[in-house]
Amino acid sequence: MRTFTSLSLAAAVLPLSSAYPWALNIANGEGNAADISEAVTSTLSKRADGGTCPVHLLRKGAAPYSDVYPSKYTGAKNGLPGTGKGGVLVPAKGDTAHAYVKPSASDVRGPCPGLNTLANHNFISHDGQTTFTEMVDAAQNVYNWKYDLATFVATVGVAQDGDPLTQTMSIGCAGGLPKSGTGLQTHNKFEVDASLARTDYALSPTGDAYTVNGTLFGEMIDTCADQKFSLECMAKYNKQRFNESLNTNGQFFNGPFTFFVLGTSLLPMDSFANFKCGTGNPTVSDMAAFWGVSQQSDGSWKYNRNEKLPQDWYNRPEALSLPFIADQVFEQYGLYPTYLGGNTGEPNTFVGLNYPGFVEDGTLQDASPNGIICLLYQTVAIGVPTSLLQTLAQVSPALDFLQSKLNSGFTANFGCKTGQNA
Ligand code: HEM
Ligand SMILES: *[C@@H]1O[C@H](CO)[C@@H](O)[C@H](O)[C@H]1NC(C)=O
Ligand SMILES: *[C@@H]1O[C@H](CO)[C@@H](O)[C@H](O)[C@H]1NC(C)=O
């Protein structure tokens, strides 16, 4: 176990930015939302796509669920709970409205294979400009996520990276949404370091932390295909990625959103497996379909931007709930604990976070499934910084949105403290 220099996040913004000097570049506004917002925008402009993100002022919108197939999906519509009964063929037989359609150059895609796949099948808007309602319906109907998980993840997406007023969100770059500096690929909000198959933001010359990195995809396959992407193996792979970032990325930041990354590592097993025969394990070809990669003649993997549902694919029979996956994340964290904090400008200069009561010396205090859920909830609801950028979520429309969607359920169901600013 290593010893960390302590610093308190709760006390002030300054100690954080001096502990993580790179954070100063993006957050010299020191807590002032407008300044931070401007700093974010100027940081984003260094990106290759800075000025070229396709603009979609009018969303295309998801293809509607036809009443011809009412029993084929969970029946989720209008952002409301469906039946939670899965185990069905997706897309349903004859449902050509949800067949795969190759994305055009002006369609936006981003860091999430689950959403890229939904967009390519018109379960959410094909242009990549989606809404809270589309995501909640599609996560239930396609992947058979339970309503609680679908709403939690979609709420965090819209609050962090979208426009809470219109409840719209880009699955990649901002693309003409009414708010600048938004979109799921925005770094250190929902998109973070040490992802399964995406390069760390600071390690990419163009800040591309959202396109699939074929080398990393190959590492994941080599590490865990034989073990069928089990919880234990993916926990090990996550630790490998943590080590890689620690050792190579001077700006590595491992904030509370790392628990989302642990969560995504369970999705091959929990959401991508083909349940055609009642039970399922994800095969390498299932994984390649969802990640949109093809294997080259030399065995390496290359992104082809064709994320799609595998042929003849049946979703999980039983809905995947938030507490269920939180239990699994907790188990992963126990197997290969990683510390919360970041490097301080050079590789291997890790300093642990201190957020009294939640995280001390980089270690989660309430290491229970509820503790993990609550840390994530706190992170977005009261803006415990995953970086200083996180404070953006404290701007009031985002807060109002989070509170209207999550507050009562989270305090009641998981016993989360509402926090000093809530
Ligand atoms: C409901 C709204 C959703 C939002 C807002 C969302 C957001 C995100 C974001 C921001 C990332 C990048 C995290 C990182 O930096 O590592 C991500 C990654 C990922 N998401 Fe989603 N997601 C959603 C739904 C889904 C669904 C339904 C699935 C699959 C069933 C899924 C599977 C994944 C996987 C496997 C990754 C890891 C990708 C990689 O590292 O290569 N997501 N998601
Ligand atoms: C992909 O990941 C590998 C391994 O971490 C890295 O060496 C390479 O630079 C990355 N490629 C891109 C395009 O980011
Ligand atoms: C990560 O690095 C530590 C320290 O070098 C090492 O002990 C551990 O085995 C590594 N873990 C993995 C999964 O690579």
Side-chain angles (χ1 to χ4, degrees):
M1 208 297 181
R2 45 190 300 160
T3 332
F4 298 114
T5 313
S6 291
L7 64 147
S8 172
L9 284 188
V13 157
L14 209 58
L16 180 69
S17 45
S18 50
Y20 306 109
W22 48 265
L24 277 173
N25 300 334
I26 44 180
N28 50 19
E30 310 223 331
N32 176 317
D35 289 350
I36 291 177
S37 182
E38 203 182 299
V40 172
T41 312
S42 64
T43 310
L44 290 177
S45 64
K46 87 160 188 170
R47 296 180 173 198
D49 71 309
T52 59
C53 184
V55 172
H56 295 276
L57 291 178
L58 286 176
R59 291 181 338 102
K60 178 170 188 248
Y65 298 94
S66 162
D67 289 339
V68 177
Y69 312 106
S71 59
K72 302 291 193 252
Y73 301 109
T74 72
K77 266 187 187 175
N78 305 322
L80 297 171
T83 60
K85 289 204 184 82
V88 298
L89 178 67
V90 186
K93 197 165 162 43
D95 183 4
T96 51
H98 294 113
Y100 171 80
V101 178
K102 195 175 166 53
S104 73
S106 67
D107 289 322
V108 168
R109 297 293 178 265
C112 175
L115 293 177
N116 291 345
T117 300
L118 291 176
N120 288 341
H121 282 266
N122 281 295
F123 282 106
I124 62 176
S125 189
H126 200 267
D127 48 34
Q129 303 298 337
T130 188
T131 63
F132 174 79
T133 302
E134 282 183 358
M135 288 190 282
V136 168
D137 294 348
Q140 295 181 83
N141 287 328
V142 174
Y143 297 110
N144 197 17
W145 278 15
K146 205 173 165 184
Y147 187 65
D148 62 351
L149 180 63
T151 50
F152 181 57
V153 180
T155 301
V156 173
V158 171
Q160 294 285 92
D161 288 323
D163 177 13
L165 292 180
T166 56
Q167 305 199 4
T168 49
M169 186 200 84
S170 167
I171 67 173
C173 55
L177 279 185
K179 265 178 78 186
S180 64
T182 60
L184 219 51
Q185 72 185 43
T186 312
H187 180 55
N188 257 346
K189 288 169 87 187
F190 202 143
E191 190 295 306
V192 293
D193 289 334
S195 309
L196 306 181
R198 264 80 178 169
T199 311
D200 284 4
Y201 177 79
L203 291 179
S204 162
T206 54
D208 181 350
Y210 43 88
T211 304
V212 176
N213 177 322
T215 309
L216 295 176
F217 180 85
E219 272 178 31
M220 174 165 72
I221 298 297
D222 292 348
T223 310
C224 290
D226 287 351
Q227 275 127 100
K228 305 193 162 100
F229 308 97
S230 67
L231 182 154
E232 293 78 10
C233 189
M234 290 304 281
K236 183 173 97 188
Y237 178 67
N238 280 317
K239 183 65 180 250
Q240 223 169 277
R241 293 286 298 126
F242 174 90
N243 279 358
E244 208 175 330
S245 295
L246 179 70
N247 295 329
T248 58
N249 180 1
Q251 303 187 9
F252 174 42
F253 193 75
N254 197 51
F257 270 63
T258 185
F259 293 113
F260 266 111
V261 177
L262 298 188
T264 67
S265 79
L266 294 157
L267 294 174
M269 177 176 95
D270 285 342
S271 292
F272 291 154
N274 188 344
F275 283 85
K276 186 173 183 187
C277 305
T279 57
N281 283 305
T283 62
V284 171
S285 83
D286 294 334
M287 296 290 280
F290 282 108
W291 258 268
V293 294
S294 5
Q295 194 160 28
Q296 311 298 292
S297 50
D298 65 358
S300 65
W301 295 91
K302 197 169 165 213
Y303 183 51
N304 58 29
R305 209 167 181 257
N306 290 344
E307 290 94 335
K308 62 166 78 147
L309 296 166
Q311 282 291 322
D312 215 13
W313 183 79
Y314 287 68
N315 64 10
R316 53 181 294 129
E318 201 186 319
L320 179 67
S321 74
L322 177 59
F324 181 84
I325 202 162
D327 274 341
Q328 293 185 323
V329 165
F330 167 66
E331 210 178 319
Q332 285 192 323
Y333 182 72
L335 287 172
Y336 294 91
T338 55
Y339 299 103
L340 302 178
N343 279 338
T344 53
E346 298 295 328
N348 270 310
T349 53
F350 198 86
V351 171
L353 286 177
N354 241 6
Y355 183 71
F358 296 100
V359 177
E360 287 171 23
D361 287 337
T363 303
L364 190 61
Q365 292 308 288
D366 179 6
S368 67
N370 276 10
I372 288 171
I373 293 178
C374 289
L375 182 71
L376 289 172
Y377 166 73
Q378 297 291 344
T379 300
V380 286
I382 62 176
V384 179
T386 60
S387 81
L388 296 178
L389 300 184
Q390 200 69 58
T391 53
L392 277 180
Q394 291 176 318
V395 179
S396 95
L399 247 196
D400 291 348
F401 177 71
L402 279 162
Q403 289 176 348
S404 70
K405 297 287 185 205
L406 298 182
N407 251 13
S408 52
F410 273 72
T411 48
N413 298 337
F414 304 109
C416 303
K417 297 173 217 164
T418 50
Q420 62 266 49
N421 297 335

